[in-house]
Amino acid sequence: MMEGSAGLKHKHLEFTLASVSELSTSSVSSSSYTPVIARFSADGGVAELRFHQGSEFIDGFNVDLGNAQLFKLGPVKSLCVSESSETNKERPYSWGVTIEFRNEEEGRDFHSAFEQWKEEDVVQGTHLPNGAISASKSKFDNKIEPASAKMYFHYYGQLLHQQNMLQDYVRTGTYYAAVIENRADFTGHVVVDVGAGSGILSLFAAQAGAKHVYAVEASEMAEYARKLIAGNPTLGQRITVIKGKVEEVELPEKADILISEPMGTLLVNERMLESYIIARDRFLVPNGKMFPSIGRIHMAPFSDEYLFVEIANKALFWQQQNYYGVDLTPLYGSAFQGYFSQPVVDAFDPRLLVSPPMCHVIDFAEIKEEDLYEIDIPLKFTASVGTRVHGLACWFDVLFNGSTVQRWLTTAPGAPTTHWYQIRCVLSQPIYVMAGQEITGRLHMIAHNAQSYTIYLTLSEQGGILQTSSCKLDLKEPYYRMSQPQPYTLAQDQQPHQLLQAQDIPIHAEDLEEPELLQQPSENSGAQLQ
């Protein structure tokens, strides 16, 4: 149980634990008589985490939060790793303690408190001018490995990639329409553009009458953004480009509205949503607006024999028994599983779906950053056709909840294709279903420090013979298939009236002429794809 209040201005914060143990040693367990207490304290202005049992501190278990990291091992178990100082000869290397919580909720609270105290320890006593960056490690640096961050910012620092995104007219046109049609939200207001890239969204906000826009961009693209904005002086005079991460920079004023394009494949890839949430907490006024404000991950089981065979055939190379005199077959099983560990990114025909989709909602205005570290979605579908299920298809949409007009940007199959395409998690062992049977399972995504997620998928058929199939995939390493939808024939027992709608966004003739003005009025409406 938590006692006290978080923050260095307070004396301490305590949690009662189930147990704590240094790696490779026996644990110290909590009991009703002598509970193990984890205490955050700030004696002498330095944030520390210490453990004690009864009135005695557990010797050697103190953690300097300035150089510590906390990793989640399970729902009620975490690992705290701390770097030792150069002067500590007794413990010259990094070391760790395993912490077990009494329940999942207390574990989440502990993680939240850990990040709060760690962040306040970094910024305590410092005041940074506009655009200045703290020399201490930021939250971003603590959770993302340097090699991944370097590659990420190099990638987004190239004009050719920015051009690819700008030429996604569904994406760019929807953002433009969402901003311009909701001038009332921007006129006379302060805007922060999170991960501004080329600065295009900042320029849109200025067109909509923003009082001032702070364009925050960490990559070298910030210099190109300055050039583009300077070349549009009537708009640029109200835009300030700040090079740095939103986790590090300081702004001279709060924002009335945040705008960003933080979505990756499956919505959460690249983990920029976390930066968007951090920007909300650091820069946005209470009840300020976010463009976008809501994201939804849509999921449905699919059947695609062509795709399954294509992936399986990639491993046939390793079935050669005489490759220059070498038997390659010992590696066949590993290669087979390796190919099925790659999520497939492409555009597919919505008729491949074997049930209506379900969705998982992420409210950007309410969600905590820590809630994005682990996303656990229970799955439940009813098969509309009898077929082999080859995996789970996923796509996303986001809502721009403007005061005047609500607009959705969708990546659904059957809608105009975006640079995100759709994503499919393919099972190495398909399951068979009959029409009307229930399909259950779990989509469990755990964030890792290469700015992506490990995906654990399980699907089960709940008919007469229980079938279950599972797979583990790395969202960071997809198979970019990128093919356009093919004209698939209907399954033998699939009637035309059973064609499944992969999205709930009506597509009208005028939308096809101007795909950037695609709208989504209601949750219950359904597209009729002819």
Side-chain angles (χ1 to χ4, degrees), residues 377-399:
I377 307 172
L379 305 173
K380 187 175 181 181
F381 309 96
T382 301
S384 300
V385 294
T387 186
R388 285 218 304 176
V389 172
H390 292 103
L392 190 72
C394 306
W395 60 95
F396 70 86
D397 52 26
V398 292
L399 171 66

Side-chain angles (χ1 to χ4, degrees), residues 438-453:
E438 189 175 272
I439 303 169
T440 60
R442 182 186 187 204
L443 181 66
H444 189 200
M445 299 187 286
I446 301 176
H448 58 63
N449 63 3
Q451 288 173 279
S452 194
Y453 285 77

Side-chain angles (χ1 to χ4, degrees), residues 97-401:
V97 291
T98 302
I99 304 167
E100 189 167 346
F101 306 101
R102 297 182 299 181
N103 55 59
E104 202 168 339
E105 183 180 359
E106 290 184 3
R108 284 196 298 268
D109 290 343
F110 184 90
H111 273 256
S112 179
F114 184 95
E115 292 299 332
Q116 269 189 295
W117 278 70
K118 184 175 178 65
E119 183 177 9
E120 289 193 36
D121 180 58
V122 168
V123 301
Q124 179 74 5
T126 64
H127 178 73
L128 302 178
N130 175 32
I133 299 172
S134 168
S136 304
K137 267 192 171 185
S138 70
K139 184 177 282 192
F140 179 92
D141 295 326
N142 281 323
K143 67 185 180 184
I144 302 300
E145 63 181 22
S148 175
K150 183 178 180 181
M151 184 178 297
Y152 174 77
F153 290 124
H154 172 73
Y155 181 69
Y156 283 103
Q158 299 178 69
L159 281 173
L160 62 91
H161 181 65
Q162 295 293 329
Q163 180 178 333
N164 178 48
M165 293 191 294
L166 291 173
Q167 287 181 317
D168 180 345
Y169 296 112
V170 175
R171 164 199 179 269
T172 307
T174 304
Y175 267 91
Y176 179 77
V179 172
I180 298 303
E181 292 176 346
N182 289 290
R183 288 178 179 273
D185 295 322
F186 290 86
T187 301
H189 290 140
V190 175
V191 179
V192 171
D193 182 355
V194 180
S198 65
I200 191 69
L201 301 185
S202 297
L203 289 161
F204 290 172
Q207 286 184 55
K211 175 185 174 184
H212 201 86
V213 184
Y214 296 96
V216 183
E217 172 57 41
S219 78
E220 294 305 313
M221 186 53 56
E223 298 304 321
Y224 291 112
R226 287 192 177 108
K227 285 186 179 181
L228 183 64
I229 288 164
N232 293 267
T234 55
L235 301 173
Q237 62 187 355
R238 288 179 282 123
I239 302 173
T240 300
V241 178
I242 297 173
K243 188 175 188 296
K245 304 183 185 79
V246 294
E247 293 86 352
E248 299 173 358
V249 302
E250 294 292 331
L251 302 180
E253 57 185 326
K254 292 285 188 179
D256 303 299
I257 185 166
L258 292 188
I259 190 167
S260 183
E261 195 263 74
M263 302 88 73
T265 50
L266 198 56
L267 184 60
V268 296
N269 186 37
E270 297 179 343
R271 297 184 65 180
M272 190 183 162
L273 278 179
E274 293 166 36
S275 296
Y276 189 38
I277 301 309
I278 290 170
R280 176 201 71 193
D281 294 341
R282 296 194 67 208
F283 305 136
L284 192 62
V285 299
N287 300 315
K289 280 196 166 288
M290 299 177 75
F291 272 50
S293 58
I294 286 175
R296 301 187 303 185
I297 299 173
H298 298 261
M299 300 146 286
F302 73 92
S303 178
D304 191 343
E305 206 71 47
Y306 296 104
L307 175 62
F308 178 80
V309 171
E310 178 185 329
I311 295 174
N313 282 349
K314 288 182 177 185
L316 290 179
F317 170 83
W318 298 96
Q319 283 196 331
Q320 297 180 81
Q321 295 178 313
N322 189 6
Y323 180 76
Y324 294 95
V326 177
D327 183 359
L328 300 182
T329 57
L331 295 181
Y332 170 72
S334 299
F336 183 86
Q337 291 301 327
Y339 283 119
F340 279 96
S341 73
Q342 292 184 283
V344 177
V345 177
D346 70 348
F348 65 84
D349 191 309
R351 289 174 292 182
L352 295 174
L353 303 179
V354 300
S355 86
M358 60 170 287
C359 76
H360 175 75
V361 178
I362 299 177
D363 186 341
F364 304 144
E366 298 293 336
I367 194 169
K368 297 177 182 177
E369 177 206 353
E370 292 79 13
D371 294 338
L372 293 168
Y373 293 173
E374 184 175 2
I375 301 170
D376 199 4
I377 307 172
L379 305 173
K380 187 175 181 181
F381 309 96
T382 301
S384 300
V385 294
T387 186
R388 285 218 304 176
V389 172
H390 292 103
L392 190 72
C394 306
W395 60 95
F396 70 86
D397 52 26
V398 292
L399 171 66
F400 301 94
N401 190 21

